[in-house]
Amino acid sequence: MFHVLAGSIGGVVCGMISGLTPGIHANMIAALMLGFSPAILSFLGPEGLAAILIATLITHSFLEIVPATFLGVPDDGTSLSILPAHSLTMDGKGEEAVRISALGSLWGVILTIPLALSALWFIPLMQPSIDVLTGSILVLIMGMIIVRSEASGWLFALCIVSGILGLFSFRFEYLLWNTLGAGSILMPLLTGLFGLPFLLTASEGTIPRQHFSGTIISGSSVIKSAIPGTFAGLVVGWLPGLSTASANTLVSGFIPYDNKRRNYLAATGASTLANSIIGIAVFIAIGRMRNGVMAVFSGFETPPVFLLLFVAGFSALLAYGLTIFCAGKAELLSGLNSSSLNTFVAICLVIVCGVLTGPFGLVILILATAVGMIPEILDISRIPCMGVVTIPVILYSFGIMGL
């Protein structure tokens, strides 16, 4: 038990570093852990190494909302969340945004753990049918989002253009540098589509005084929002070829991110954690790896699923406390020059993309930023930009192309 607790605490520390540092993903930490796995296994054993990996993934999933909220830096799980979260920051309510997301994440863990246990039984039975239906489900989701919009023509065009960019990017992904195992085509794609346009068009002035006087959304509303978020995370974590960003797209079909900002943050917080946890069940049930952390598991003896879910729950409690602590420091940002801060963050994002993905990553970043400026210019929803991921997956599931 000592090995498990030590590994869990070590994983929480690693997840805190990766979650709070823009450009560093939990998969990068997992790649580093793989390099040091012989030493870790000799000291902590497979249970300790598993605890480190799971705790890193869970903690990162909690804390990634912090840079998304205060800096507008997107990650795979926060690409759409930065819109309501950062807007709340500009209203002086950044701490509230982080607290709501953390609470939604915690409920996502609570709701998903028992579902993950039951999934061990029904996933193997239903997987063949699910593989066939993936593309149809995504077409239904994107179609519902576009048709319900007042500017459906522009949204459809934006989705197609984003999809073409995604097809091009995934086709030539091998040109990335893949520095330290952290290079991913999603980094320049999501940064360009959701990060840089926001930073480049943000209003000038200073960050408003951050103050917290309680969350406006009630506890029951958080739970009601966490339920569809958990469902979206479960679906995306189960379906092949999808990511947390796709889950947030699915959530937006139930809860609009523009006029129900707090509910959306609670839902996406739940979807992110549900996606992470169901990935454990999918790996145990059918051996499929949904993220880099699970890929590392395939290299050594996997501990019992009950132990893995215990670590997930334990690290979630610690990560929730850390997230609330970080949110409490929001007042330190009051009065900072937002224009200078946005410029600094934008430059850092370009540098990080260049270092981790190389010249081709920078080319993709430029193209994605150009596409990402379209919603700003036309004042339309940014959700169809997720066509960059969904259209390649749809074509792959229909057997039209490979990823």
Side-chain angles (χ1 to χ4, degrees):
M1 195 64 182
F2 168 77
H3 294 166
V4 174
L5 291 177
S8 299
I9 294 174
V12 168
V13 174
C14 291
M16 178 177 65
I17 295 173
S18 65
L20 294 176
T21 306
I24 298 182
H25 194 270
N27 289 346
M28 178 179 176
I29 301 296
L32 294 174
M33 290 294 174
L34 182 60
F36 291 102
S37 59
I40 298 174
L41 285 170
S42 64
F43 180 65
L44 296 178
E47 293 84 3
L49 178 56
I52 293 177
L53 293 170
I54 295 297
T56 298
L57 177 63
I58 297 300
T59 306
H60 177 95
S61 299
F62 266 90
L63 285 166
E64 65 182 356
I65 191 61
V66 175
T69 299
F70 298 116
L71 302 179
V73 180
D75 197 356
D76 186 20
T78 60
S79 51
L80 288 177
S81 301
I82 63 173
L83 304 175
H86 199 69
S87 65
L88 284 172
T89 298
M90 299 312 294
D91 291 339
K93 299 177 180 179
E95 180 176 353
E96 181 187 2
V98 175
R99 283 177 174 268
I100 291 173
S101 176
L103 194 55
S105 297
L106 188 61
W107 273 107
V109 174
I110 295 171
L111 295 172
T112 305
I113 286 181
L115 293 175
L117 289 173
S118 60
L120 296 174
W121 172 76
F122 65 76
I123 283 180
L125 298 177
M126 300 180 62
Q127 191 62 46
S129 300
I130 291 298
D131 289 341
V132 174
L133 294 174
T134 299
S136 301
I137 294 173
L138 288 177
V139 170
L140 178 63
I141 294 171
M142 291 304 296
M144 177 181 65
I145 294 172
I146 292 173
V147 170
R148 291 174 58 184
S149 171
E150 295 180 357
S152 56
W154 283 114
L155 265 61
F156 177 75
L158 179 60
C159 182
I160 296 299
V161 171
S162 300
I164 293 173
L165 175 61
L167 292 172
F168 172 79
S169 302
F170 289 115
R171 172 64 179 82
F172 296 101
E173 186 175 9
Y174 63 88
L175 295 175
L176 294 182
W177 277 4
N178 198 29
T179 307
L180 297 176
S184 169
I185 199 65
L186 287 176
M187 179 183 295
L189 280 175
L190 296 179
T191 299
L193 289 171
F194 298 97
L196 287 183
F198 180 87
L199 295 171
L200 294 175
T201 59
S203 59
E204 298 182 358
T206 60
I207 294 180
R209 187 179 71 85
Q210 300 296 303
H211 56 88
F212 177 71
S213 56
T215 55
I216 295 179
I217 185 173
S218 64
S220 60
S221 295
V222 170
I223 298 175
K224 291 179 181 178
S225 301
I227 291 174
T230 300
F231 170 76
L234 291 173
V235 170
V236 170
W238 183 5
L239 295 177
L242 301 185
S243 65
T244 305
S246 304
N248 293 346
T249 305
L250 178 57
V251 168
S252 65
F254 297 96
I255 304 174
Y257 68 81
D258 48 358
N259 54 17
K260 291 187 177 181
R261 297 180 296 178
R262 293 170 175 82
N263 300 80
Y264 184 80
L265 285 171
T268 53
S271 72
T272 301
L273 270 296
N275 185 16
S276 299
I277 293 176
I278 198 63
I280 300 172
V282 171
F283 176 75
I284 297 296
I286 57 177
R288 294 192 180 182
M289 297 163 284
R290 292 294 189 251
N291 52 59
V293 173
M294 292 298 107
V296 175
F297 269 94
S298 62
F300 64 95
E301 180 183 356
T302 305
V305 65
F306 289 100
L307 176 63
L308 299 180
L309 294 178
F310 167 78
V311 172
F314 175 72
S315 57
L317 292 176
L318 296 181
Y320 175 76
L322 284 172
T323 308
I324 297 302
F325 173 79
C326 292
K329 301 300 180 180
E331 191 172 354
L332 298 176
L333 298 174
S334 300
L336 287 179
N337 186 293
S338 60
S339 179
S340 300
L341 180 61
N342 290 336
T343 301
F344 173 75
V345 173
I347 293 173
C348 288
L349 286 176
V350 174
I351 293 175
V352 168
C353 281
V355 171
L356 296 182
T357 63
F360 182 70
L362 291 177
V363 171
I364 296 300
L365 177 65
I366 294 172
L367 294 175
T369 302
V371 175
M373 291 297 294
I374 295 176
E376 297 289 343
I377 296 173
L378 300 178
D379 192 23
I380 59 176
S381 172
R382 193 175 294 274
I383 293 176
C385 288
M386 288 312 305
V388 74
V389 175
T390 55
I391 288 182
V393 173
I394 289 170
L395 296 179
Y396 168 75
S397 65
F398 288 155
I400 299 177
M401 63 161 288
L403 287 178

